[in-house]
Amino acid sequence: MGWKGTVRSLQASARRSERNAHRRQRELEKRHKEYAKMEALEQAAYEVDVYENHIDILLSMHKDCADPVKWNRLISNPEPRQPINSCALEQRATHSATTYRPNFWARIFKLEARKRVALMGKVRAAQAEDERQYQAQLDEWKTAHAEWAEQRDIAVRILDGDRQAKLDAIEAFESFAEISHLGSAIQMIVHEGGVLEAKVAIHGSDVIPSEIKSLLKSGKLSTKAMPIGRFNELHQDYVCSCALRVGRELLAILSDELVIVTALDNVLNGSTGHMQEQPILSVAFSRSTVDGLNLESIDPSDAMKNFVHNMSFKKAAGFSAVTALDAQRFAEAV
């Protein structure tokens, strides 16, 4: 399985707890099979539930995160002991052969020689079974030892700040599947000085609804265009929630005290007059500050005030392009 398999198993156990938005999403997905059989008012209520759940998921990305990897604990795991062929079965069979004494009937019917031949056959069979069991144990040990060596190697390299080790660990954990499903692509860069930066391509217009769905007093579905101000506010909260989620996941995987997350999206380039993918948020997440947040209660956009960050946002106009943080400025933190 190797260390990559090990960290995936650690990740799986760490994700057993699930936020309410995801549980609700699964329930709604099950109900979708019954959609065609629903009455009109039931369908309307279902569509509003799905809409509200989608918004809830977008704005609560930061609430999920794997448990921190205990790299120091991996280093301290004892080396698996190489098995020894104890020859236990052979010893018991040999003891039976050497201590054999023919009884009265064996002497009368001259069965002693045949019995001794049979006992020696059992000794040889026991030798073969001892060897078979030993080889099986040896194969298991080789696998366990290789995994132990890999785990120890990656743990040492992570704690030493090795660039490639960071990238390998991030790839192995596959921590950003949910964000990818929502249309956000992530690129990892380890800058000179060891600071890791995640560049997250946020496709807000593809993810955030352009309409608002609600129920009228009659129970019927109301669908209307989302005001630009509301769309922009959702966009900001989603971007900040994603950035915080990525920062938390990276700090959980790595031993670094700080990581940079830069979110990019299509915004107007004032010099060309065209929409272009540019940084809209760049934030340096420090471990100590992240650990001190009450993640269940924070507003993700307001939470950025706790960190060094660049963001230009206006409710009426949305995001404007900003300059990504200079990683060298934070090199000493790593």
Side-chain angles (χ1 to χ4, degrees), residues 281-297:
L281 169 67
S282 191
V283 52
F285 290 111
S286 61
R287 184 181 300 277
S288 59
T289 306
V290 169
D291 289 346
L293 295 177
N294 181 350
L295 293 160
E296 290 297 322
S297 302

Side-chain angles (χ1 to χ4, degrees), residues 36-333:
K37 300 178 182 179
M38 294 179 186
E39 298 292 338
L41 294 184
E42 287 183 292
Q43 290 180 343
Y46 173 79
E47 288 195 37
V48 172
D49 281 346
V50 171
Y51 168 81
E52 292 178 346
N53 176 251
H54 180 63
I55 297 295
D56 191 11
I57 287 176
L58 294 181
L59 305 189
S60 62
M61 298 289 294
H62 59 282
K63 295 182 180 180
D64 250 357
C65 184
D67 289 340
V69 183
K70 306 296 185 182
W71 294 111
N72 283 310
R73 185 178 300 172
L74 287 178
I75 287 180
S76 65
N77 284 342
E79 181 178 2
R81 291 187 177 182
Q82 184 172 351
I84 299 174
N85 191 345
S86 63
C87 303
L89 297 177
E90 179 188 357
Q91 290 174 8
R92 287 198 291 271
T94 300
H95 177 76
S96 296
T98 55
T99 58
Y100 169 69
R101 297 292 182 270
N103 58 23
F104 173 77
W105 296 107
R107 291 195 298 272
I108 290 295
F109 293 104
K110 299 181 179 180
L111 300 176
E112 180 180 355
R114 186 186 304 175
K115 179 64 174 178
R116 291 192 181 280
V117 169
L119 288 171
M120 291 309 298
K122 289 184 177 181
V123 170
R124 290 190 293 273
Q127 289 175 332
E129 180 59 19
D130 277 333
E131 181 62 22
R132 187 195 68 77
Q133 292 184 10
Y134 170 68
Q135 289 300 326
Q137 293 170 359
L138 191 62
D139 289 342
E140 291 180 2
W141 171 80
K142 288 178 179 178
T143 299
H145 193 275
E147 291 179 6
W148 172 84
E150 284 184 290
Q151 290 172 15
R152 182 175 177 79
D153 174 70
I154 190 68
V156 169
R157 290 165 56 211
I158 285 287
L159 293 174
D160 285 345
D162 181 84
R163 175 185 184 278
Q164 191 58 49
K166 294 180 183 182
L167 298 176
D168 289 344
I170 292 167
E171 179 185 4
F173 263 90
E174 301 176 347
S175 297
F176 307 107
E178 182 184 4
I179 294 174
S180 298
H181 292 160
L182 290 173
S184 300
I186 302 178
Q187 177 190 10
M188 301 295 172
I189 302 170
V190 181
H191 294 278
E192 292 295 329
V195 177
L196 187 139
E197 178 182 8
K199 292 189 174 182
V200 187
I202 304 286
H203 304 291
S205 59
D206 298 332
V207 176
I208 299 169
S210 59
E211 299 176 326
I212 295 177
K213 292 184 178 181
S214 60
L215 291 178
L216 300 173
K217 290 183 179 180
S218 63
K220 293 182 179 180
L221 178 67
S222 169
T223 302
K224 57 184 179 181
M226 182 177 292
I228 188 64
R230 176 58 177 156
F231 180 91
N232 289 336
E233 286 181 329
L234 288 176
H235 189 194
Q236 184 189 30
D237 281 341
Y238 172 60
V239 169
C240 294
S241 186
C242 277
L244 183 51
R245 167 69 174 278
V246 172
R248 290 187 66 206
E249 294 285 5
L250 292 175
L251 291 172
I253 295 170
L254 306 176
S255 62
D256 297 2
E257 292 301 314
L258 178 143
V259 294
I260 294 175
V261 179
T262 298
L264 305 98
D265 207 340
N266 290 323
V267 292
L268 181 67
N269 185 327
S271 62
T272 66
H274 297 293
M275 300 296 287
Q276 182 180 345
E277 188 175 78
Q278 300 179 84
I280 57 173
L281 169 67
S282 191
V283 52
F285 290 111
S286 61
R287 184 181 300 277
S288 59
T289 306
V290 169
D291 289 346
L293 295 177
N294 181 350
L295 293 160
E296 290 297 322
S297 302
I298 63 169
D299 177 287
S301 297
D302 290 342
M304 295 302 105
K305 298 174 184 177
N306 296 293
F307 307 97
V308 177
H309 73 284
N310 289 338
M311 178 171 62
S312 177
F313 175 85
K314 293 180 180 179
K315 181 177 178 179
F319 282 104
S320 298
V322 296
T323 302
L325 293 175
D326 181 5
Q328 293 301 116
R329 174 184 173 188
F330 304 94
E332 292 184 3

